[in-house]
Amino acid sequence: MQRKLISAVVLSLFLSSAAIAGTTTQLPQHTRPTHYSIALKPDAANAAFSGRVKITMQVAKPTRSLTLNAVDLAITSAEIGAAKGKQAASAIKPDNEHQTVTLEFARPLSAGKHELTIDYSGKINSQASGLFYLDYDSAGDKKRALYTQFEAADARRMFPSWDEPAFRTTFSVEATVPAAQMAVSNMPIADSKDLGDGTKLVRFATTPRMSTYLLFFGMGDFERATRQSGKTELGVVTVRGRLPQAQFVLDSSDAVLREYNDYFGAPYPLPKLDNVAAPGRSNFFGAMENWGAIMSFETFLLLDPAVATQSDRQNAFSIAAHETAHQWFGDLVTMRWWDDLWLNESFASWMAARTTARLHPEWQTSLDKVAARNAAMERDALSTTHPIVQHVATVEEAHSAFDEITYEKGESVIGMLENYVGEDAWRNGVRSYIKANAYGNAESHQLWKHIEKAAHQPVTAIAHDFTLQPGVPLLRVESQACEGGQTRVTLTQSEYSKDKRDKRALTWRVPVLAQTVGSKAPVRVLVNNGKASLTLPGCGPVLANAGQAGYYRVLYAPAAYGALASSFATLDPIDQLGFMTDTWALGISGYQPASDFLALVKAAQPDAPSQVWLKAAEVLETLKYYARDDAARSKAVSTFAIARLSPVMQHVGWDAAEGEPAPRAILREQLIRVLGSQGDPAVVAEARRRYQASLAGDAKALPPELRRVVLHVVAQHADAATWDQLHDAARAEQSSIVKNDLYMLLGAAADPMLARRALELALSGEPAATTASGIIGAVAGNHSELAFDFALANMDKVNGLVDVPSRAGYYSRLASGSTRADTIAKLQAFADANLAASARGPVATAVSRIQFRIDAIRDRMPAVESWLAQNAEVRRADASAAGTKAGGM
């Protein structure tokens, strides 16, 4: 029944010009595939493979040529078959620039059904692009496993194809693999046959209709554990010996899948769902939502008992929830083109956040939405931003579309709209959208149609304001007056900008939820045409984003700000966090005094919510970085940071208390790390003591939840001998997760000479390629200019560590932490010499970030320094009270 329905849908899409009208494509539209049959023969040892693909397709009109996507493939033959007989291609013309191959035929192909057979060979890459390998240590032996990564447009590196999301087809995959190894794909194994020569032929069941970028193949010395969840076989796949570390994700996936089956109102449609853990790491992604075979790097999926922390558990759960959400948003329903990538990523992020908070309320992750929103706003407030729904014209643009706007802004806007229409109406709209578009492609406007119908509210206009134009609304609380037990408030809307304060503000229809402090009766209003007035029950300070669901910043008039700051301790934790976040962002951008944030930190008590101190520590670390080129200013920041954070560290303690809240465990990690970065003598000394004790055999000195952060402090303050010790440990380590941790730590050294040694190590061939590029990135954390200059000077070697589509983003990230104007010129010269115009978005963003930092250091830091000087007595008193106890047991 389903197969017949799918065939009818394919034919309907193919014949209907309306179905593809307006769809961006880089391929001719007169041919469409309906099925791929792929046969692979990987040669892992020689990093090469051969393949044959048989493509069933429909031709709309007679043609003498076919153009498919293919890159880095050597096509040896191509043959077309039809009712009138077969013919080989008369010419095979690859076009590497456009990543296509054109097959020409002497006789025209008739309209109708054809079968195209192509024999070819290709290379197995060392980076996560196309079919790639990962080398790892196992019981002293070197081993190699194979995986695929096809998003956004790298299926074309493994087989010739119509490699665009709108060309949904079914797939049959078979592979000839070593008899002792396991092969994994999207569907269960249908048949396995021993070939008698040390290999076996594995055939997988046929997939539902899906896009090329969701296909997966993996091969290696794997183990698999399963459990049944309803009608779905859940599995986890690891390299041999690491299966126990996947138990948490297997348990979590069961709970998440049951939640999603209920929420979406459409059960997961494939017979199995694997989470495949790959050794190593990537600087560009952590996991990929291949339908039925999610691939994640081990560091994001497995929990090694030697180093696993509460943060690791939460991250593993969140990533599993994100990728599982994609099985509906992205896989079952796929965006028609990369313009609507957010339909995949934003919804997966939003569902993961919602589900994590719902299934693990004890983690208090509902507050994390403030951090996600802030990450989006800080990117969105730069002049180089873009709308959530952005036009993507090329493959290069598609690769650069995976950013904070696509993920965090989209997630935040979804949360705001759900809050506006209500949870039930939102869910009903989502269910309707999924049902209407299952096994097909969709665009944003189709979602809004279903939400609006379910909610009976005009949500489309609001959604368009926030998704079709860039930027961040800035709501100003201009005036408030209380009379008769009610507060009258006037709001005006402008735009929050970090680098174009004089720009003409865009306008949005902004859903606002406001209340007076102490009132439990918030009031909703829609700010339209830049202004709104509302009356709130009660008299008192006004909170203009109660619950923090709104995607906007709030700038309070001085009196209103002062009243709210005085009531800070009485706010709900999420509102404390939102108020702090806006205060810092608006202060460092020049909308209000930057010292306002420091005043909040000064007034906070050690037992304030953990999330408040996490935010304080984050900003104080940023201020330390901003002050890095001014010794006096840097010392003033560190003195204040240590004085304020040490009592919190003393309150939290170095060792976990039984049954302590999860946020406290995370706060402990962050406090140790930040106090270490600030140079707190007590914390640095205690970290070194614990490290030396662990080397002497004291297993309790470095419990798993402290191991990584303590070693980070040790590595950051390492001398040459300590650096060598850590290097020896990295070489000897067998756990790939711990091994990667240790190599990354070598790049964390504050000493420039040791940082240079780490950079040289990255290109030595000792660490794996994916680890090597990460070491350079780790060096950039403390020495952005050093890492960027090194990468430019060794570009040929560094390019070998980074796949082509990711290079623009990689080099830009190395440079983006700079505080120097000459880095901007170097970045622009790099782009001019190496990047197509369509690939320069990451460079433009990095330039904007650097320029903002330069401006903030010049214009804001003097006031911060002045405030710190005026509060020197407070700092000394606090530091004296804290003493050295913060570093004790």
Side-chain angles (χ1 to χ4, degrees):
M1 180 67 178
Q2 186 183 51
R3 181 167 297 179
K4 290 180 180 178
L5 175 61
I6 290 172
S7 298
V9 171
V10 170
L11 187 59
S12 173
L13 283 173
F14 173 72
L15 294 175
S16 171
S17 60
I20 59 174
T23 299
T24 303
T25 180
Q26 295 179 304
L27 293 173
Q29 288 288 307
H30 62 274
T31 54
R32 292 183 70 83
T34 58
H35 179 73
Y36 293 93
S37 180
I38 302 168
L40 287 176
K41 289 187 177 181
D43 180 359
N46 293 304
F49 67 93
S50 61
R52 167 175 286 185
V53 60
K54 294 183 179 180
I55 309 173
T56 305
M57 62 183 187
Q58 290 281 344
V59 176
K61 60 183 180 180
T63 182
R64 289 182 180 271
S65 68
L66 299 172
T67 299
L68 298 76
N69 291 118
V71 63
D72 293 335
L73 297 178
I75 296 177
T76 54
S77 67
E79 181 182 75
I80 198 79
K84 296 183 178 180
K86 298 180 179 181
Q87 63 168 320
S90 58
I92 301 173
K93 297 182 177 179
D95 182 342
N96 290 329
E97 180 182 355
H98 295 96
Q99 301 188 357
T100 61
V101 62
T102 297
L103 310 175
E104 296 182 349
F105 298 91
R107 300 191 309 272
L109 309 182
S110 61
K113 181 180 178 180
H114 295 264
E115 184 175 82
L116 174 64
T117 301
I118 302 175
D119 291 308
Y120 61 96
S121 60
K123 63 180 181 180
I124 302 175
N125 298 305
S126 61
Q127 294 295 316
S129 179
L131 180 62
F132 68 99
Y133 66 83
L134 290 171
D135 293 336
Y136 63 98
D137 294 327
S138 177
D141 295 329
K142 293 285 186 181
K143 293 195 174 184
R144 173 167 290 183
L146 304 184
Y147 306 88
T148 57
Q149 169 60 22
F150 291 159
E151 191 179 33
D154 285 325
R156 62 193 66 180
R157 297 179 185 273
M158 195 183 84
F159 62 103
S161 57
W162 281 259
D163 192 19
E164 295 179 357
F167 290 104
R168 291 182 73 119
T169 66
T170 54
F171 295 82
S172 298
V173 177
E174 65 177 50
T176 302
V177 304
Q181 294 192 5
M182 181 186 296
V184 183
S185 190
N186 306 76
M187 297 293 285
I189 293 174
D191 179 63
S192 181
K193 179 182 178 181
D194 193 313
L195 300 179
D197 60 356
T199 66
K200 61 186 176 182
L201 179 64
V202 179
R203 294 187 178 95
F204 297 93
T206 300
T207 72
R209 288 180 61 241
M210 66 184 196
S211 302
T212 48
Y213 79 90
L214 295 171
L215 191 66
F216 176 78
F217 174 76
M219 181 190 91
D221 184 19
F222 296 159
E223 294 181 297
R224 182 171 184 256
T226 65
R227 72 162 49 170
Q228 200 68 23
S229 181
K231 295 182 178 181
T232 305
E233 181 182 84
L234 284 176
V236 288
V237 179
T238 72
V239 299
R240 187 169 301 279
R242 296 174 193 168
L243 204 55
Q245 298 176 18
Q247 186 62 47
F248 176 79
V249 166
L250 185 59
D251 294 341
S252 298
S253 296
D254 188 6
V256 168
L257 187 64
R258 294 176 188 276
E259 175 72 14
Y260 288 173
N261 281 335
D262 174 67
Y263 186 88
F264 288 115
Y268 174 76
L270 275 64
K272 65 98 174 173
L273 176 58
D274 281 325
N275 271 283
V276 182
R281 65 191 306 280
S282 170
N283 292 289
F284 320 110
F285 73 103
M288 175 60 202
E289 67 268 18
N290 314 296
W291 211 0
I294 297 166
M295 196 282 282
S296 305
F297 287 97
E298 286 181 347
T299 188
F300 298 106
L301 188 71
L302 304 186
L303 296 180
D304 187 325
V307 294
T309 66
Q310 179 62 27
S311 295
D312 293 331
R313 283 184 284 275
Q314 292 183 198
N315 287 337
F317 186 93
S318 178
I319 289 172
H322 178 104
E323 303 305 330
T324 304
H326 272 309
Q327 307 301 297
W328 284 263
F329 260 98
D331 298 3
L332 181 60
V333 182
T334 307
M335 79 262 148
R336 188 176 299 283
W337 181 249
W338 300 104
D339 294 13
D340 286 299
L341 175 63
W342 86 287
L343 281 175
N344 291 8
E345 299 301 346
S346 297
F347 271 87
S349 296
W350 172 75
M351 278 298 295
R354 174 195 177 276
T355 302
T356 303
R358 178 178 171 84
L359 298 184
H360 284 285
E362 73 280 8
W363 292 349
Q364 300 178 29
T365 57
S366 59
L367 277 68
D368 293 347
K369 69 181 181 183
V370 175
R373 182 185 67 196
N374 186 62
M377 287 180 172
E378 292 306 282
R379 170 70 178 87
D380 205 15
L382 295 172
S383 56
T384 51
T385 188
H386 60 82
I388 291 176
V389 180
Q390 59 175 322
H391 179 58
V392 174
T394 67
V395 169
E396 292 83 6
E397 289 181 7
H399 281 285
S400 65
F402 295 80
D403 64 7
E404 298 94 334
I405 304 302
T406 297
Y407 283 78
E408 283 87 357
K409 180 176 181 179
E411 174 190 349
S412 300
V413 169
I414 289 168
M416 178 177 67
L417 293 174
E418 184 209 28
N419 183 266
Y420 180 68
V421 304
E423 292 183 4
D424 291 343
W426 183 264
R427 183 189 61 221
N428 291 337
V430 168
R431 286 179 172 181
S432 175
Y433 165 83
I434 292 288
K435 182 179 180 180
N437 295 286
Y439 302 101
N441 298 86
E443 297 172 332
S444 296
H445 69 86
Q446 293 168 279
L447 173 66
W448 307 136
K449 179 182 71 175
H450 288 277
I451 297 293
E452 197 161 85
K453 183 178 179 180
H456 305 291
Q457 295 187 58
V459 70
T460 299
I462 301 171
H464 281 173
D465 284 352
F466 281 90
T467 61
L468 299 183
Q469 64 181 5
V472 183
L474 176 64
L475 293 190
R476 298 173 185 265
V477 179
E478 298 285 10
S479 63
Q480 62 183 81
C482 187
E483 184 177 346
Q486 294 183 318
T487 301
R488 183 76 174 171
V489 183
T490 299
L491 304 175
T492 60
Q493 178 254 300
S494 57
E495 184 173 352
Y496 167 62
S497 176
K498 295 172 65 176
D499 57 358
K500 297 291 182 183
R501 289 286 302 276
D502 57 348
K503 69 172 292 189
R504 182 179 178 182
L506 299 172
T507 59
W508 293 260
R509 278 155 281 209
V510 185
V512 172
L513 189 67
Q515 69 183 53
T516 54
V517 173
S519 169
K520 298 301 181 182
V523 173
R524 296 183 183 275
V525 66
L526 186 67
V527 176
N528 201 357
N529 296 319
K531 193 171 184 179
S533 296
L534 63 160
T535 301
L536 305 177
C539 290
V542 172
L543 183 65
N545 193 2
Q548 304 302 309
Y551 186 80
Y552 52 87
R553 293 220 185 273
V554 183
L555 179 61
Y556 296 91
Y561 176 86
L564 196 55
S566 297
S567 301
F568 180 77
T570 67
L571 302 179
D572 289 341
I574 195 166
D575 290 320
Q576 290 185 7
L577 196 57
F579 182 63
M580 287 184 77
T581 300
D582 276 352
T583 296
W584 166 246
L586 294 169
I588 200 64
S589 301
Y591 288 87
Q592 66 187 76
S595 57
D596 283 351
F597 184 88
L598 297 176
L600 290 177
V601 175
K602 172 185 171 183
Q605 297 300 307
D607 61 353
S610 294
Q611 292 85 350
V612 167
W613 283 114
L614 282 168
K615 183 63 184 179
E618 172 199 321
V619 171
L620 291 172
E621 186 173 34
T622 299
L623 284 173
K624 173 74 170 179
Y625 193 81
Y626 278 19
R628 64 178 185 153
D629 295 324
D630 185 319
R633 187 176 289 171
S634 178
K635 182 178 180 180
V637 170
S638 290
T639 302
F640 178 77
I642 294 168
R644 296 307 299 131
L645 297 180
S646 291
V648 186
M649 184 67 217
Q650 186 176 2
H651 177 75
V652 170
W654 275 80
D655 296 301
E658 186 174 352
E660 71 178 5
R664 177 172 290 188
I666 295 173
L667 176 59
R668 178 180 296 109
E669 286 183 69
Q670 179 75 338
L671 287 172
I672 294 171
R673 191 180 67 80
V674 172
L675 283 167
S677 296
Q678 297 283 357
D680 180 5
V683 166
V684 173
E686 177 63 6
R688 286 172 169 165
R689 185 196 70 76
R690 286 174 177 262
Y691 173 59
Q692 292 300 325
S694 72
L695 294 179
D698 182 356
K700 294 182 179 180
L702 283 185
E705 59 270 17
L706 289 183
R707 178 182 172 88
R708 187 181 291 125
V709 69
V710 166
L711 291 182
H712 177 86
V713 174
V714 169
Q716 188 173 27
H717 296 275
D719 56 17
T722 303
W723 195 93
D724 287 337
Q725 280 183 323
L726 293 170
H727 185 196
D728 290 342
R731 283 187 291 209
E733 182 59 50
Q734 292 297 303
S735 164
S736 66
I737 293 176
V738 178
K739 191 180 194 73
N740 276 292
D741 281 351
L742 290 167
Y743 272 118
M744 293 305 104
L745 288 173
L746 294 174
D751 185 335
M753 294 300 296
L754 296 178
R756 289 187 179 93
R757 288 183 63 185
L759 292 172
E760 292 164 1
L761 173 66
L763 299 186
S764 69
E766 177 188 318
T770 54
T771 300
S773 57
I775 294 173
I776 300 172
V779 171
N782 287 319
H783 310 279
S784 181
E785 296 85 4
L786 177 64
F788 182 56
D789 288 346
F790 177 85
L792 292 182
N794 296 274
M795 190 176 296
D796 288 345
K797 291 183 178 180
V798 173
N799 283 349
L801 306 175
V802 183
D803 61 277
V804 174
S806 301
R807 287 175 188 167
Y810 180 76
Y811 285 95
S812 299
R813 283 190 294 274
L814 293 180
S816 65
S818 178
T819 57
R820 298 173 189 170
D822 62 339
T823 304
I824 293 176
K826 293 176 186 177
L827 252 178
Q828 292 171 333
F830 159 77
D832 291 341
N834 297 281
L835 301 177
S838 60
R840 296 185 187 184
V843 170
T845 299
V847 167
S848 294
R849 291 188 191 278
I850 296 169
Q851 189 60 59
F852 172 77
R853 194 175 296 113
I854 292 170
D855 294 344
I857 291 170
R858 182 192 65 233
D859 298 336
R860 317 289 172 231
M861 288 303 291
V864 168
E865 187 175 20
S866 175
W867 187 94
L868 291 173
Q870 293 170 15
N871 287 268
E873 292 302 321
V874 173
R875 297 203 314 275
R876 282 198 288 270
D878 286 346
S880 177
T884 58
K885 294 181 181 179
M889 296 293 289

